[in-house]
């Protein structure tokens, strides 16, 4: 019997990192032993936004959504006993991408590795940070320059490294339609290539085009998502050929990794998420001509909190079963010549081209950031409205909500929690690191970095020197802030009421009635304390409150509790709403409530939204929080009525 020739499977990854470098290292080695074939490193929010673990804004965030890496010692521990020259490592890092890559290179050199043999990816996409994820530091133009600095450096020194991962994943999480996801991601790729073309020799440019990769999202409408991936491959080939004159087909190939959709994972009946994840994986694996190069899957319980190693293992097994037990990899493309697929692909391409023409008319992705952000907020509003009105069915959420209790969520330990002592331990090790390094070497390395950044030179050589000298993440980013300034991205929420006020008459009347009793318009302050940049929920709450007739204040992400309290006093807010999805809700809200009391604002009701376990919700109520909302609270109009009731003068008096 002739053996069937099978394609090689994609890389199996699990997005992982938490608490400390030591514990994350143990997790990585365990996952590799279970059959994972690549690493995908999650960094905590202070590391992503360029703060050391002891910075004021890092409070409560250390080790929560990833691993803290403050210096070479942390990176050394993260990859202890993992030979980097034999590993394919993806690092989900953007604003501090040059710095984390510098630390990685320094550790590889310490291991005795041939740096030119290193394989992996830094995400390094700042444009989507302004639109959907919020871990930017500097303004768009210098950020674009840092992206291409990394690309130009890897051309010379790391020929197997992917220097940039255009990330459309968070665009879909922010509500992008398939056409918007295609267009906004492709426009980002164009902006990067236009800038990179000035930094590499002309003869090397085609090869560098071939090293740009993508990181995408696959949602539950898996036929549409499959067609979207085919559209991506065809449009990118077209752009590379027609715009940049790339003749070699292999350099025009659309190479992508994927994490399937987390936006659609439900807190209600969370066991159903296993099926959702499987179906979404099929969208990026079934079509050979548009198959992902690497796949990482979320865990079934991510809408509840941090997944445990067992939960991640379950998602890894799903990939292995598809790749090794089924016959998928024995066939060519299953959809070539299918008229329904071809028609959908053409429709998506036409919509994406129209959006790209609009962006080109504005001067490209960098110039169109405000426009793209506003479009995403509008699209997300429409998506939520379809769920609220039952036009879009979500099983267990707006239909078939009666269910047996899930044994998977029973008992203690159903989700991973990070010990609060982790932060103190990390800070202590950071202080010890600072105390034992050569300050003269640190100062000299930082001065060289400042000089390079100021002169517009490639920052990678100076960053590597900083890594070896013992510079910290906060110090490296501090130089970038000093040279280029900080940036506050657009919120996408205008002050003007939108046209979508259908079904809001009852709430608008209630707002008017309470405003009359208050003697002025009901004032609602929406704030995001800490470093969590997932602003989608806050944006939708602010936009709906605005459309309901409230006077809203929403200044965007990354505010300290003291800044939010000052804004509440200045606007004379009747209700304060806080959004935190990073798991840092307890320490941040405890501080904010205390500051509210000290400022004489204890009477102002505080409501909180986020991924908050029941036990934490009870603790927040004990601190005086009036309402707690989690992903299961998808009916925004009900939340609006709660806010109106809380602002009622008698309700305030009863607090």
């Amino acid at each position: 019997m002739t053996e069937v020739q099978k394609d090689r499977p994609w890389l199996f990854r699990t997005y992982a990192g938490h608490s400390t470098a030591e514990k994350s290292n143990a997790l990585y080695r365990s996952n590799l032993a279970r059959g994972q074939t690549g690493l995908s490193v999650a960094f905590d929010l202070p590391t992503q936004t360029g703060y050391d673990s002891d910075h004021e804004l890092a409070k409560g965030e250390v080790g929560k959504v990833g691993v803290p890496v403050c210096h070479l010692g942390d990176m050394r521990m993260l990859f202890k006993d993992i030979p980097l020259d034999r590993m394919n490592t993806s690092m989900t890092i953007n604003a501090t991408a040059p710095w984390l890559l510098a630390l990685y290179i320094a550790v590889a050199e310490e291991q005795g590795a041939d740096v030119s043999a290193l394989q992996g990816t830094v995400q390094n996409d700042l444009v989507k940070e302004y639109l959907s994820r919020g871990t930017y530091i500097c303004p768009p133009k210098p950020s674009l320059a840092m992206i291409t600095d990394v690309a130009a450096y890897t051309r010379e020194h790391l020929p197997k490294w992917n220097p940039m991962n255009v990330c459309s994943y968070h665009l879909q999480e922010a509500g992008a339609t398939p056409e918007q996801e295609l267009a906004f991601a492709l426009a980002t790729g164009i902006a990067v290539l236009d800038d990179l073309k000035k930094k590499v020799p002309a003869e090397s440019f085609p090869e560098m085009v071939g090293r740009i990769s993508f990181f995408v999202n696959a949602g539950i409408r898996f036929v549409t998502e499959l067609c979207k991936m085919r559209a991506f491959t065809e449009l990118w080939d077209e752009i590379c050929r027609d715009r940049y004159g790339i003749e070699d087909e292999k350099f025009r190939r659309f190479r992508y990794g994927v994490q399937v959709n987390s936006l659609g994972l439900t807190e209600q009946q969370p066991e159903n998420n296993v099926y959702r994840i499987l179906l979404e994986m099929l969208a990026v694996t079934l079509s050979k001509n548009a198959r992902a190069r690497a796949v990482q899957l979320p865990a079934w319980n991510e809408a509840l909190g941090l997944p445990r190693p067992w939960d991640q293992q379950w998602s890894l097994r799903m990939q292995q079963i598809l790749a090794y037990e089924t016959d998928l990899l024995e066939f060519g493309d299953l959809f070539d010549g299918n008229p329904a697929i071809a028609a959908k692909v053409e429709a998506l391409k036409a919509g994406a081209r129209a959006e790209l023409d609009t962006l080109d008319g504005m001067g490209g992705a960098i110039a169109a950031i405000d426009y793209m952000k506003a479009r995403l907020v509008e699209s997300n509003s429409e998506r939520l409205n379809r769920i609220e009105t039952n036009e879009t069915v979500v099983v267990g959420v707006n239909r078939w909500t009666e269910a047996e209790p899930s044994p998977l969520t029973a008992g203690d330990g159903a989700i991973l929690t990070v010990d609060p002592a982790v932060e103190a331990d990390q800070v202590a090790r950071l202080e010890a690191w600072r105390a034992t390094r050569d300050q003269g070497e640190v100062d000299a390395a930082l001065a060289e970095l400042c000089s390079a950044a100021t002169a517009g030179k490639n920052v990678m050589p100076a960053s590597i020197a900083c890594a070896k000298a013992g510079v910290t993440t906060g110090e490296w980013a501090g130089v970038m802030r000093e040279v280029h300034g900080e940036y506050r991205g657009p919120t996408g929420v205008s002050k003007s009421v939108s046209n979508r006020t259908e079904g809001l008459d009852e709430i608008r009347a209630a707002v008017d009635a309470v405003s009359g009793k208050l003697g002025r318009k009901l004032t609602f302050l929406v704030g995001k304390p800490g470093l969590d940049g997932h602003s989608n929920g806050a944006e939708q709450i602010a936009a709906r409150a605005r459309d309901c007739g409230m006077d809203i204040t929403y200044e965007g992400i990354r505010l300290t509790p003291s800044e939010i309290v000052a804004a509440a006093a200045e606007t004379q807010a009747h209700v304060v709403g806080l959004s935190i999805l990073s798991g840092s809700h307890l320490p941040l809200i405890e501080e904010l409530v205390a500051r509210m009391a000290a400022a004489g604002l204890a009477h102002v009701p505080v409501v909180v939204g986020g991924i908050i376990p029941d036990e934490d919700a009870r603790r927040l109520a004990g601190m005086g929080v009036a309402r707690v909302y989690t992903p299961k609270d998808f009916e925004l109009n009900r939340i609006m009525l709660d806010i109106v009731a809380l602002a009622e003068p008698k309700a305030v008096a009863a607090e």
Side-chain angles (χ1 to χ4, degrees), residues 508-520:
R508 290 169 69 88
V511 169
D512 288 343
V514 169
S515 297
K517 294 177 185 178
L518 293 167
R520 59 188 174 89

Side-chain angles (χ1 to χ4, degrees), residues 462-543:
S463 296
I464 294 169
C466 282
K468 294 176 179 178
V471 165
T472 68
T473 296
E475 290 166 340
W476 181 90
V479 169
M480 296 304 154
R481 288 181 165 95
E482 178 187 335
V483 173
H484 301 302
E486 286 210 67
Y487 180 73
R488 287 201 68 78
T491 67
V493 181
S494 72
K495 287 286 187 181
S496 305
V497 176
S498 74
N499 295 323
R500 291 187 301 277
T501 56
E502 184 181 351
L504 301 182
D505 290 346
E506 178 190 348
I507 306 172
R508 290 169 69 88
V511 169
D512 288 343
V514 169
S515 297
K517 294 177 185 178
L518 293 167
R520 59 188 174 89
K521 188 179 284 191
L522 194 167
T523 301
F524 180 42
L525 171 69
V526 179
K528 283 196 64 63
L531 296 177
D532 170 37
H534 284 107
S535 57
N536 306 330
E539 290 156 3
Q540 294 307 314
I541 290 289

Side-chain angles (χ1 to χ4, degrees), residues 153 266 363 451 598:
Y153 185 84
T266 64
S451 174

Side-chain angles (χ1 to χ4, degrees), residues 194-266:
D194 284 353
D195 195 65
L196 180 59
K197 202 169 187 181
K198 307 172 215 167
K199 294 187 176 181
V200 299
E203 63 273 17
S204 299
F205 183 69
E207 181 238 336
M208 290 308 298
V209 172
R211 285 169 60 188
I212 299 297
S213 59
F214 289 74
F215 186 72
V216 305
N217 198 333
I220 193 64
R221 293 171 57 81
F222 80 93
V223 176
T224 296
E225 294 293 314
L226 183 151
C227 293
K228 180 189 77 182
M229 298 320 308
R230 290 172 72 97
F232 252 136
T233 63
E234 294 175 21
L235 285 167
W236 184 243
D237 182 80
E238 187 179 292
I239 288 166
C240 293
R241 184 191 66 228
D242 298 347
R243 186 182 181 104
Y244 298 109
I246 307 300
E247 296 179 3
D248 192 329
E249 187 179 330
K250 74 180 180 187
F251 294 145
R252 304 199 306 260
R253 195 169 296 142
F254 183 83
R255 300 175 310 117
Y256 77 99
V258 65
Q259 173 165 316
V260 306
N261 192 286
S262 293
L263 178 68
L265 301 183
T266 64

Side-chain angles (χ1 to χ4, degrees), residues 72 99 433 437-446 463-472:
L72 183 61
W99 174 240
W433 177 267
R437 64 189 183 172
D438 185 322
Q439 194 59 44
E441 286 187 22
V442 169
D443 292 342
L446 287 170
S463 296
I464 294 169
C466 282
K468 294 176 179 178
V471 165
T472 68

Side-chain angles (χ1 to χ4, degrees), residues 515-592:
S515 297
K517 294 177 185 178
L518 293 167
R520 59 188 174 89
K521 188 179 284 191
L522 194 167
T523 301
F524 180 42
L525 171 69
V526 179
K528 283 196 64 63
L531 296 177
D532 170 37
H534 284 107
S535 57
N536 306 330
E539 290 156 3
Q540 294 307 314
I541 290 289
R544 184 65 60 87
R546 172 204 64 196
D547 291 348
C548 288
M550 299 181 203
D551 188 353
I552 61 126
T553 299
Y554 174 58
E555 299 300 330
I557 62 171
R558 226 182 294 168
L559 299 171
T560 63
S562 60
E563 288 172 326
I564 292 172
V565 172
E570 183 183 346
T571 61
Q572 297 182 290
H574 296 112
V575 181
V576 171
L578 306 174
S579 170
I580 307 173
L581 284 89
S582 63
S584 59
H585 42 269
L586 290 176
L588 286 173
I589 291 166
E590 184 175 29
E591 179 184 346
L592 189 137

Side-chain angles (χ1 to χ4, degrees), residues 148-164:
T148 51
D149 277 358
V150 168
Y153 185 84
T154 60
R155 182 195 71 81
E156 287 190 73
H157 303 284
L158 283 79
K160 297 181 179 180
W161 194 270
N162 295 313
M164 199 261 179

